[in-house]
Amino acid sequence: ARFFSYNYKAISVANLQHLYTLNKRYNSSDGNTGFANESLYHNEADKVMDIVTEKCDDLFDLTSDEFDFKTASGVLNIDFGSSIGIWVLNKQAPNQQLWLSSPISGPHHYDFCSSNKQWVSSKDGHSLCALLQNEFSQVVGSEVGFDEDF
């Protein structure tokens, strides 16, 4: 009696479809998302990390003594203290994404949209810049803006 049959042709087609979907997602032919090479990704991702780090320098004047931030190996930890929590922004080079973990809104993955030069959520399309401005403003009790959009 045969309990299990394996159709190698069907599996091969399924695997090819999966690879096609991944390739289409990360190397979109419409030119709106993704990067032509890893160097371009790092340039844009590092730019965001630098902008947010500079804003963290400014936040010392608006926050409690518990506020601190540190960056290492493509990871930025922004700590508003034990009563508020820690934001973690990090680079995900294999996916060409930025990932954010927020104590207010949870985890987010961002893809670069070349048409508007912004990092947008893969879940609902909001921008990383807008989310950080909104959440940081909420925490410090006054308007927090970045010198340039990202």
Side-chain angles (χ1 to χ4, degrees):
R2 255 178 122 175
F3 295 105
F4 183 71
S5 69
Y6 215 68
N7 187 336
Y8 290 102
K9 192 173 193 174
I11 288 174
S12 296
V13 170
N15 288 342
L16 289 174
Q17 287 173 335
H18 177 70
L19 290 173
Y20 173 76
T21 302
L22 288 175
N23 184 52
K24 187 174 179 183
R25 178 175 176 195
Y26 296 114
N27 300 301
S28 176
S29 60
D30 64 7
N32 287 333
T33 60
F35 297 92
N37 62 55
E38 193 170 335
S39 177
L40 293 173
Y41 161 77
H42 285 291
N43 288 341
E44 288 296 331
D46 289 340
K47 178 179 162 185
V48 170
M49 300 296 271
D50 291 343
I51 292 169
V52 177
T53 299
E54 287 176 21
K55 182 53 65 180
C56 287
D57 280 331
D58 298 341
L59 290 175
F60 275 113
D61 296 334
L62 302 173
T63 57
S64 72
D65 290 339
E66 288 186 72
F67 178 77
D68 198 13
F69 69 95
K70 62 184 173 189
T71 183
S73 302
V75 179
L76 173 60
N77 288 286
I78 307 165
D79 187 351
F80 279 91
S82 59
S83 64
I84 298 170
I86 301 172
W87 279 254
V88 179
L89 179 63
N90 65 308
K91 295 168 49 175
Q92 291 293 316
N95 300 343
Q96 294 187 341
Q97 292 181 321
L98 290 174
W99 288 6
L100 175 71
S101 175
S102 161
I104 294 176
S105 60
H108 302 276
H109 297 175
Y110 295 91
D111 296 302
F112 186 74
C113 180
S114 59
S115 63
N116 65 7
K117 304 289 187 220
Q118 291 192 336
W119 291 87
V120 295
S121 169
S122 59
K123 194 180 339 180
D124 63 12
H126 72 267
S127 78
L128 172 61
C129 183
L131 180 93
L132 289 176
Q133 287 179 152
N134 181 35
E135 291 188 359
F136 289 175
S137 296
Q138 181 181 339
V139 168
V140 301
S142 65
E143 191 68 29
V144 173
F146 293 98
D147 294 334
E148 58 184 291
D149 288 341
F150 51 85

PDB file of all heavy atoms in Angstrom, residues 69-93:
ATOM      1  N   PHE A  69      20.884  56.901  24.596  1.00  0.00           N
ATOM      2  CA  PHE A  69      20.870  56.173  23.330  1.00  0.00           C
ATOM      3  C   PHE A  69      22.280  55.690  23.035  1.00  0.00           C
ATOM      4  O   PHE A  69      23.259  56.251  23.511  1.00  0.00           O
ATOM      5  CB  PHE A  69      20.337  57.045  22.178  1.00  0.00           C
ATOM      6  CG  PHE A  69      21.246  58.163  21.772  1.00  0.00           C
ATOM      7  CD1 PHE A  69      22.136  58.000  20.723  1.00  0.00           C
ATOM      8  CD2 PHE A  69      21.214  59.379  22.425  1.00  0.00           C
ATOM      9  CE1 PHE A  69      22.979  59.033  20.338  1.00  0.00           C
ATOM     10  CE2 PHE A  69      22.054  60.423  22.046  1.00  0.00           C
ATOM     11  CZ  PHE A  69      22.939  60.242  20.997  1.00  0.00           C
ATOM     12  N   LYS A  70      22.338  54.621  22.260  1.00  0.00           N
ATOM     13  CA  LYS A  70      23.638  54.096  21.833  1.00  0.00           C
ATOM     14  C   LYS A  70      23.462  53.418  20.491  1.00  0.00           C
ATOM     15  O   LYS A  70      22.394  52.902  20.159  1.00  0.00           O
ATOM     16  CB  LYS A  70      24.232  53.140  22.866  1.00  0.00           C
ATOM     17  CG  LYS A  70      23.409  51.903  23.139  1.00  0.00           C
ATOM     18  CD  LYS A  70      24.027  51.055  24.238  1.00  0.00           C
ATOM     19  CE  LYS A  70      23.071  49.928  24.590  1.00  0.00           C
ATOM     20  NZ  LYS A  70      23.457  49.200  25.748  1.00  0.00           N
ATOM     21  N   THR A  71      24.531  53.440  19.724  1.00  0.00           N
ATOM     22  CA  THR A  71      24.506  52.812  18.409  1.00  0.00           C
ATOM     23  C   THR A  71      25.744  51.938  18.253  1.00  0.00           C
ATOM     24  O   THR A  71      26.833  52.302  18.699  1.00  0.00           O
ATOM     25  CB  THR A  71      24.422  53.868  17.286  1.00  0.00           C
ATOM     26  OG1 THR A  71      24.337  53.207  16.035  1.00  0.00           O
ATOM     27  CG2 THR A  71      25.594  54.807  17.301  1.00  0.00           C
ATOM     28  N   ALA A  72      25.538  50.780  17.653  1.00  0.00           N
ATOM     29  CA  ALA A  72      26.642  49.854  17.392  1.00  0.00           C
ATOM     30  C   ALA A  72      26.210  48.856  16.322  1.00  0.00           C
ATOM     31  O   ALA A  72      25.106  48.314  16.369  1.00  0.00           O
ATOM     32  CB  ALA A  72      27.035  49.110  18.664  1.00  0.00           C
ATOM     33  N   SER A  73      27.072  48.651  15.361  1.00  0.00           N
ATOM     34  CA  SER A  73      26.868  47.630  14.320  1.00  0.00           C
ATOM     35  C   SER A  73      25.507  47.723  13.638  1.00  0.00           C
ATOM     36  O   SER A  73      24.821  46.716  13.451  1.00  0.00           O
ATOM     37  CB  SER A  73      27.055  46.236  14.918  1.00  0.00           C
ATOM     38  OG  SER A  73      28.332  46.105  15.475  1.00  0.00           O
ATOM     39  N   GLY A  74      25.086  48.921  13.285  1.00  0.00           N
ATOM     40  CA  GLY A  74      23.826  49.080  12.571  1.00  0.00           C
ATOM     41  C   GLY A  74      22.595  48.967  13.433  1.00  0.00           C
ATOM     42  O   GLY A  74      21.490  48.784  12.916  1.00  0.00           O
ATOM     43  N   VAL A  75      22.745  49.086  14.755  1.00  0.00           N
ATOM     44  CA  VAL A  75      21.612  49.024  15.678  1.00  0.00           C
ATOM     45  C   VAL A  75      21.633  50.271  16.544  1.00  0.00           C
ATOM     46  O   VAL A  75      22.642  50.598  17.160  1.00  0.00           O
ATOM     47  CB  VAL A  75      21.669  47.763  16.574  1.00  0.00           C
ATOM     48  CG1 VAL A  75      20.495  47.735  17.532  1.00  0.00           C
ATOM     49  CG2 VAL A  75      21.706  46.498  15.733  1.00  0.00           C
ATOM     50  N   LEU A  76      20.504  50.974  16.608  1.00  0.00           N
ATOM     51  CA  LEU A  76      20.359  52.166  17.436  1.00  0.00           C
ATOM     52  C   LEU A  76      19.330  51.875  18.519  1.00  0.00           C
ATOM     53  O   LEU A  76      18.186  51.547  18.215  1.00  0.00           O
ATOM     54  CB  LEU A  76      19.912  53.348  16.579  1.00  0.00           C
ATOM     55  CG  LEU A  76      19.549  54.649  17.283  1.00  0.00           C
ATOM     56  CD1 LEU A  76      20.739  55.199  18.076  1.00  0.00           C
ATOM     57  CD2 LEU A  76      19.047  55.675  16.272  1.00  0.00           C
ATOM     58  N   ASN A  77      19.748  51.961  19.774  1.00  0.00           N
ATOM     59  CA  ASN A  77      18.856  51.788  20.922  1.00  0.00           C
ATOM     60  C   ASN A  77      18.568  53.159  21.507  1.00  0.00           C
ATOM     61  O   ASN A  77      19.495  53.886  21.874  1.00  0.00           O
ATOM     62  CB  ASN A  77      19.512  50.916  21.995  1.00  0.00           C
ATOM     63  CG  ASN A  77      19.595  49.474  21.578  1.00  0.00           C
ATOM     64  OD1 ASN A  77      18.611  48.770  21.556  1.00  0.00           O
ATOM     65  ND2 ASN A  77      20.793  49.040  21.217  1.00  0.00           N
ATOM     66  N   ILE A  78      17.287  53.503  21.616  1.00  0.00           N
ATOM     67  CA  ILE A  78      16.858  54.788  22.155  1.00  0.00           C
ATOM     68  C   ILE A  78      16.026  54.497  23.398  1.00  0.00           C
ATOM     69  O   ILE A  78      14.912  53.985  23.308  1.00  0.00           O
ATOM     70  CB  ILE A  78      16.037  55.581  21.125  1.00  0.00           C
ATOM     71  CG1 ILE A  78      16.817  55.702  19.816  1.00  0.00           C
ATOM     72  CG2 ILE A  78      15.653  56.940  21.685  1.00  0.00           C
ATOM     73  CD1 ILE A  78      15.981  56.146  18.640  1.00  0.00           C
ATOM     74  N   ASP A  79      16.578  54.825  24.556  1.00  0.00           N
ATOM     75  CA  ASP A  79      15.982  54.459  25.840  1.00  0.00           C
ATOM     76  C   ASP A  79      15.424  55.699  26.526  1.00  0.00           C
ATOM     77  O   ASP A  79      16.176  56.587  26.928  1.00  0.00           O
ATOM     78  CB  ASP A  79      17.048  53.791  26.707  1.00  0.00           C
ATOM     79  CG  ASP A  79      16.500  53.229  27.996  1.00  0.00           C
ATOM     80  OD1 ASP A  79      15.322  53.483  28.326  1.00  0.00           O
ATOM     81  OD2 ASP A  79      17.269  52.536  28.693  1.00  0.00           O
ATOM     82  N   PHE A  80      14.103  55.764  26.677  1.00  0.00           N
ATOM     83  CA  PHE A  80      13.450  56.870  27.354  1.00  0.00           C
ATOM     84  C   PHE A  80      13.221  56.584  28.836  1.00  0.00           C
ATOM     85  O   PHE A  80      12.532  57.325  29.514  1.00  0.00           O
ATOM     86  CB  PHE A  80      12.116  57.211  26.685  1.00  0.00           C
ATOM     87  CG  PHE A  80      12.259  58.057  25.454  1.00  0.00           C
ATOM     88  CD1 PHE A  80      12.389  57.476  24.206  1.00  0.00           C
ATOM     89  CD2 PHE A  80      12.270  59.435  25.538  1.00  0.00           C
ATOM     90  CE1 PHE A  80      12.511  58.252  23.068  1.00  0.00           C
ATOM     91  CE2 PHE A  80      12.404  60.226  24.402  1.00  0.00           C
ATOM     92  CZ  PHE A  80      12.523  59.625  23.163  1.00  0.00           C
ATOM     93  N   GLY A  81      13.792  55.498  29.330  1.00  0.00           N
ATOM     94  CA  GLY A  81      13.659  55.167  30.743  1.00  0.00           C
ATOM     95  C   GLY A  81      12.684  54.030  30.979  1.00  0.00           C
ATOM     96  O   GLY A  81      11.897  53.658  30.107  1.00  0.00           O
ATOM     97  N   SER A  82      12.727  53.504  32.181  1.00  0.00           N
ATOM     98  CA  SER A  82      11.965  52.297  32.509  1.00  0.00           C
ATOM     99  C   SER A  82      10.448  52.499  32.429  1.00  0.00           C
ATOM    100  O   SER A  82       9.717  51.564  32.140  1.00  0.00           O
ATOM    101  CB  SER A  82      12.358  51.785  33.894  1.00  0.00           C
ATOM    102  OG  SER A  82      12.098  52.789  34.864  1.00  0.00           O
ATOM    103  N   SER A  83       9.962  53.710  32.657  1.00  0.00           N
ATOM    104  CA  SER A  83       8.509  53.922  32.614  1.00  0.00           C
ATOM    105  C   SER A  83       7.976  54.047  31.189  1.00  0.00           C
ATOM    106  O   SER A  83       6.779  53.926  30.968  1.00  0.00           O
ATOM    107  CB  SER A  83       8.137  55.167  33.418  1.00  0.00           C
ATOM    108  OG  SER A  83       8.701  56.316  32.836  1.00  0.00           O
ATOM    109  N   ILE A  84       8.850  54.296  30.218  1.00  0.00           N
ATOM    110  CA  ILE A  84       8.407  54.473  28.825  1.00  0.00           C
ATOM    111  C   ILE A  84       8.872  53.314  27.953  1.00  0.00           C
ATOM    112  O   ILE A  84       8.077  52.660  27.306  1.00  0.00           O
ATOM    113  CB  ILE A  84       8.897  55.819  28.264  1.00  0.00           C
ATOM    114  CG1 ILE A  84       8.298  56.957  29.081  1.00  0.00           C
ATOM    115  CG2 ILE A  84       8.544  55.948  26.789  1.00  0.00           C
ATOM    116  CD1 ILE A  84       8.881  58.307  28.800  1.00  0.00           C
ATOM    117  N   GLY A  85      10.175  53.061  27.909  1.00  0.00           N
ATOM    118  CA  GLY A  85      10.680  51.933  27.143  1.00  0.00           C
ATOM    119  C   GLY A  85      11.775  52.296  26.160  1.00  0.00           C
ATOM    120  O   GLY A  85      12.254  53.429  26.116  1.00  0.00           O
ATOM    121  N   ILE A  86      12.137  51.314  25.372  1.00  0.00           N
ATOM    122  CA  ILE A  86      13.265  51.423  24.442  1.00  0.00           C
ATOM    123  C   ILE A  86      12.783  51.199  23.009  1.00  0.00           C
ATOM    124  O   ILE A  86      12.085  50.231  22.721  1.00  0.00           O
ATOM    125  CB  ILE A  86      14.352  50.378  24.779  1.00  0.00           C
ATOM    126  CG1 ILE A  86      14.863  50.573  26.194  1.00  0.00           C
ATOM    127  CG2 ILE A  86      15.493  50.436  23.777  1.00  0.00           C
ATOM    128  CD1 ILE A  86      15.794  49.471  26.675  1.00  0.00           C
ATOM    129  N   TRP A  87      13.199  52.102  22.121  1.00  0.00           N
ATOM    130  CA  TRP A  87      13.014  51.928  20.684  1.00  0.00           C
ATOM    131  C   TRP A  87      14.301  51.317  20.154  1.00  0.00           C
ATOM    132  O   TRP A  87      15.393  51.751  20.539  1.00  0.00           O
ATOM    133  CB  TRP A  87      12.797  53.265  19.984  1.00  0.00           C
ATOM    134  CG  TRP A  87      11.408  53.809  20.054  1.00  0.00           C
ATOM    135  CD1 TRP A  87      10.494  53.840  19.051  1.00  0.00           C
ATOM    136  CD2 TRP A  87      10.775  54.427  21.177  1.00  0.00           C
ATOM    137  NE1 TRP A  87       9.329  54.427  19.480  1.00  0.00           N
ATOM    138  CE2 TRP A  87       9.481  54.792  20.785  1.00  0.00           C
ATOM    139  CE3 TRP A  87      11.172  54.693  22.491  1.00  0.00           C
ATOM    140  CZ2 TRP A  87       8.582  55.416  21.647  1.00  0.00           C
ATOM    141  CZ3 TRP A  87      10.281  55.315  23.350  1.00  0.00           C
ATOM    142  CH2 TRP A  87       9.004  55.666  22.927  1.00  0.00           C
ATOM    143  N   VAL A  88      14.171  50.337  19.274  1.00  0.00           N
ATOM    144  CA  VAL A  88      15.346  49.740  18.633  1.00  0.00           C
ATOM    145  C   VAL A  88      15.155  49.851  17.121  1.00  0.00           C
ATOM    146  O   VAL A  88      14.190  49.334  16.567  1.00  0.00           O
ATOM    147  CB  VAL A  88      15.535  48.255  19.034  1.00  0.00           C
ATOM    148  CG1 VAL A  88      16.754  47.665  18.330  1.00  0.00           C
ATOM    149  CG2 VAL A  88      15.652  48.110  20.542  1.00  0.00           C
ATOM    150  N   LEU A  89      16.077  50.562  16.489  1.00  0.00           N
ATOM    151  CA  LEU A  89      16.074  50.715  15.036  1.00  0.00           C
ATOM    152  C   LEU A  89      17.301  50.007  14.508  1.00  0.00           C
ATOM    153  O   LEU A  89      18.413  50.287  14.952  1.00  0.00           O
ATOM    154  CB  LEU A  89      16.117  52.203  14.668  1.00  0.00           C
ATOM    155  CG  LEU A  89      16.144  52.549  13.173  1.00  0.00           C
ATOM    156  CD1 LEU A  89      14.871  52.069  12.474  1.00  0.00           C
ATOM    157  CD2 LEU A  89      16.322  54.054  12.987  1.00  0.00           C
ATOM    158  N   ASN A  90      17.095  49.064  13.588  1.00  0.00           N
ATOM    159  CA  ASN A  90      18.261  48.354  13.065  1.00  0.00           C
ATOM    160  C   ASN A  90      18.155  48.063  11.581  1.00  0.00           C
ATOM    161  O   ASN A  90      17.073  47.998  11.012  1.00  0.00           O
ATOM    162  CB  ASN A  90      18.544  47.074  13.865  1.00  0.00           C
ATOM    163  CG  ASN A  90      17.465  46.042  13.736  1.00  0.00           C
ATOM    164  OD1 ASN A  90      16.302  46.324  13.954  1.00  0.00           O
ATOM    165  ND2 ASN A  90      17.838  44.831  13.394  1.00  0.00           N
ATOM    166  N   LYS A  91      19.327  47.930  10.989  1.00  0.00           N
ATOM    167  CA  LYS A  91      19.452  47.621   9.574  1.00  0.00           C
ATOM    168  C   LYS A  91      19.302  46.113   9.372  1.00  0.00           C
ATOM    169  O   LYS A  91      19.824  45.336  10.151  1.00  0.00           O
ATOM    170  CB  LYS A  91      20.807  48.084   9.054  1.00  0.00           C
ATOM    171  CG  LYS A  91      20.999  49.585   9.086  1.00  0.00           C
ATOM    172  CD  LYS A  91      22.426  50.035   8.842  1.00  0.00           C
ATOM    173  CE  LYS A  91      23.088  49.417   7.664  1.00  0.00           C
ATOM    174  NZ  LYS A  91      24.432  49.982   7.391  1.00  0.00           N
ATOM    175  N   GLN A  92      18.605  45.754   8.314  1.00  0.00           N
ATOM    176  CA  GLN A  92      18.458  44.358   7.908  1.00  0.00           C
ATOM    177  C   GLN A  92      18.927  44.256   6.459  1.00  0.00           C
ATOM    178  O   GLN A  92      18.119  44.260   5.528  1.00  0.00           O
ATOM    179  CB  GLN A  92      17.004  43.902   8.055  1.00  0.00           C
ATOM    180  CG  GLN A  92      16.535  43.782   9.476  1.00  0.00           C
ATOM    181  CD  GLN A  92      17.248  42.661  10.199  1.00  0.00           C
ATOM    182  OE1 GLN A  92      17.418  41.565   9.675  1.00  0.00           O
ATOM    183  NE2 GLN A  92      17.672  42.932  11.422  1.00  0.00           N
ATOM    184  N   ALA A  93      20.242  44.182   6.285  1.00  0.00           N
ATOM    185  CA  ALA A  93      20.830  44.198   4.941  1.00  0.00           C
ATOM    186  C   ALA A  93      20.352  43.064   4.044  1.00  0.00           C
ATOM    187  O   ALA A  93      20.102  43.301   2.856  1.00  0.00           O
ATOM    188  CB  ALA A  93      22.353  44.213   5.037  1.00  0.00           C
TER     189      ALA A  93
END
